[in-house]
């Protein structure tokens, strides 16, 4: 790497961030981290590929990222260059930006990346001071997580976006039991639209006309919508994840909370991107590669259920109408 901070990286940092923000950067420290990351081939590791949502190009060699928000990638070519993105991300961690209601320090904004890179590279707190990330810590404390449950709601033909069913992920709290599970929170991915016209939704959904976003909301809101109002049966797949794996998924959910993907009805839909979120739990998990052309929610649930040691319990909760018909 040489004795000095690489010129291209210095220029990229100055373009992306104000000079004052990086007044405390230790060029030698950053150069050492970059050199070590290359030595360990971190940009080629599955953990990095999943965190940046890279997928292989269909025709040309190389990869491209699926996130369409420009602020998600730090390098100018970060959407197609995993190594450049990793190095620009390391540079961003030296930022002196103070956390507020309107902004976050990159260490907090990309907290899953920061945590994983710290585990691999061993950041020296004297050369790279760590930020507290109060907003994330408060959010995590509110969730009080002990586990994750994949929820599948059956098809609802009156909603064009749910005619094949809809999955979401419930965050199970440590003090949760059967009587308080409705008070948990749920992570969902959906097209950001109020469109009710099936034809219009299909046309826009086929050609990426909507922004797809992750959101988190009280679980009882979705249960009331699905089971009570729309009479949709629910299946719960309690996932067999360690506390570290749960935190890994939640840290990445935090990173995705402020970005958007172009929503495509057949492939890059709710099922596909929830699988993309869950597969960051373990390096060996590959949940999305077989869904390059289409991702039907029920097939996505089967993919989860078919993983070794991934599901520890399944619960079926019939809707009110299903119970009435049975009786």
């Amino acid at each position: 790497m040489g004795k000095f901070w690489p010129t291209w990286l210095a220029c990229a940092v100055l373009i992306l961030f104000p000079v004052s923000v990086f007044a405390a950067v230790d060029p030698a420290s950053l150069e050492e981290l970059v050199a070590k990351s290359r030595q360990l081939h971190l940009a080629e590791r599955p953990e990095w590929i999943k965190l940046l949502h890279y997928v292989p190009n269909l025709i040309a060699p190389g990869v491209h990222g699926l996130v369409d928000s420009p602020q998600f990638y730090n390098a100018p070519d970060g959407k197609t260059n995993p190594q450049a993105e990793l190095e620009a991300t390391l540079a961003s961690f030296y930022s002196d930006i103070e956390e507020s209601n309107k902004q976050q320090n990159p260490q907090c904004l990309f907290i899953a990346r920061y945590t994983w890179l710290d585990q691999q590279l061993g950041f020296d707190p004297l050369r790279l001071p760590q930020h507290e990330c109060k907003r994330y810590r408060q959010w995590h404390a509110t969730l009080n997580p002990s586990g994750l449950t994949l929820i599948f709601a059956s098809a609802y033909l009156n909603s064009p976006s749910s005619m094949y069913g809809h999955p979401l992920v419930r965050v199970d709290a440590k003090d949760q039991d059967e009587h308080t599970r409705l008070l948990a929170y749920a992570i969902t991915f959906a097209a950001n639209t109020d469109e009710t016209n099936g034809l219009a939704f299909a046309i826009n959904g086929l050609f990426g006309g909507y922004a797809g976003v992750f959101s988190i909301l009280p679980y009882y809101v979705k249960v009331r919508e699905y089971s009570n109002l729309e009479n949709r049966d629910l299946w719960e797949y309690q996932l067999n994840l360690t506390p570290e794996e749960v935190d890994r998924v939640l840290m990445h959910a935090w990173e995705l909370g402020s970005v958007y993907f172009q929503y495509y009805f057949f492939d890059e839909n709710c099922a596909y991107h929830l699988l993309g979120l869950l597969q960051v739990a373990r390096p060996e998990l590959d949940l999305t590669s077989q869904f390059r052309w289409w991702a039907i929610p029920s097939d996505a649930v089967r993919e989860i259920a078919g993983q070794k040691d991934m599901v520890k319990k399944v619960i079926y909760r019939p809707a009110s109408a299903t119970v009435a018909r049975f009786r």
Side-chain angles (χ1 to χ4, degrees):
M1 292 290 294
K3 297 182 179 180
F4 303 102
W5 199 4
T7 303
W8 71 267
L9 185 56
C11 293
V13 168
L14 293 177
I15 292 173
L16 292 171
F17 301 97
V19 175
S20 60
V21 166
F22 283 90
V25 170
D26 180 350
S29 171
L30 177 57
E31 183 181 355
E32 291 171 12
L33 292 176
V34 168
K36 188 175 180 180
S37 74
R38 291 189 173 190
Q39 180 183 8
L40 296 174
H41 301 283
L42 295 187
E44 302 170 18
R45 297 268 289 273
E47 297 95 323
W48 184 252
I49 298 300
K50 294 174 187 176
L51 286 175
L52 277 297
H53 293 259
Y54 290 123
V55 296
N57 295 329
L58 292 176
I59 301 177
V63 298
H64 65 278
L66 295 179
V67 179
D68 293 294
S69 295
Q71 69 269 24
F72 187 74
Y73 300 100
N74 291 292
D77 59 343
K79 193 176 175 73
T80 57
N81 189 333
Q83 183 64 44
E85 177 58 26
L86 190 148
E87 295 178 15
T89 298
L90 286 173
S92 75
F93 292 156
Y94 288 85
S95 167
D96 286 335
I97 292 176
E98 292 295 333
E99 187 176 58
S100 69
N101 292 332
K102 296 183 179 180
Q103 65 181 6
Q104 297 183 75
N105 186 277
Q107 292 183 16
C108 309
L109 185 61
F110 306 119
I111 190 165
R113 300 186 212 180
Y114 177 86
T115 301
W116 181 72
L117 288 170
D118 186 17
Q119 292 170 348
Q120 305 306 312
L121 300 174
F123 295 153
D124 183 349
L126 297 179
R127 304 176 75 183
L128 176 57
Q130 183 177 2
H131 289 258
E132 192 173 353
C133 302
K134 291 182 180 179
R135 286 170 55 183
Y136 171 78
R137 304 301 173 194
Q138 292 171 354
W139 178 77
H140 188 275
T142 300
L143 296 178
N144 191 26
S146 68
L148 299 175
T149 298
L150 178 67
I151 309 292
F152 176 71
S154 61
Y156 181 59
L157 296 181
N158 288 337
S159 172
S161 63
S162 298
M163 62 179 63
Y164 293 111
H166 186 74
L168 61 151
V169 175
R170 188 180 69 206
V171 183
D172 298 320
K174 292 179 181 177
D175 55 357
Q176 177 180 308
D177 56 32
E178 182 61 24
H179 302 290
T180 60
R181 64 180 176 83
L182 291 176
L183 301 179
Y185 286 87
I187 301 171
T188 185
F189 180 88
N192 188 16
T193 176
D194 295 325
E195 181 63 69
T196 57
N197 183 292
L199 179 60
F201 180 86
I203 293 174
N204 286 311
L206 285 172
F207 297 101
Y210 300 120
V213 296
F214 279 92
S215 58
I216 185 165
L217 67 167
Y219 179 56
Y220 70 82
V221 173
K222 302 306 293 183
V223 171
R224 182 177 60 187
E225 173 188 342
Y226 290 157
S227 183
N228 299 340
L229 299 181
E230 299 178 354
N231 290 313
R232 302 166 70 175
D233 298 338
L234 299 178
W235 282 264
E236 300 181 0
Y237 297 81
Q238 295 182 9
L239 303 181
N240 186 29
L241 300 176
T242 66
E244 292 77 14
E245 291 169 343
V246 171
D247 281 346
R248 202 171 294 140
V249 172
L250 292 179
M251 283 189 288
H252 191 46
W254 177 264
E255 293 182 335
L256 297 176
S258 59
V259 305
Y260 68 87
F261 302 74
Q262 281 186 290
Y263 182 92
Y264 292 93
F265 187 72
F266 284 119
D267 51 3
E268 294 181 42
N269 54 24
C270 58
Y272 182 91
H273 285 300
L274 276 178
L275 290 179
L277 172 65
L278 290 173
Q279 71 179 1
V280 306
R282 298 172 182 168
E284 66 272 16
L285 273 180
D286 178 13
L287 302 177
T288 59
S289 61
Q290 66 167 307
F291 297 109
R292 288 301 305 274
W293 298 103
W294 61 80
I296 297 176
S298 57
D299 289 341
V301 172
R302 291 189 187 96
E303 180 67 20
I304 289 286
Q307 296 292 319
K308 183 180 179 181
D309 298 327
M310 189 67 177
V311 176
K312 60 182 178 181
K313 187 176 182 181
V314 181
I315 299 174
Y316 169 58
R317 300 189 185 278
S320 301
T322 303
V323 174
R325 284 194 300 269
F326 175 77
R327 289 178 178 174

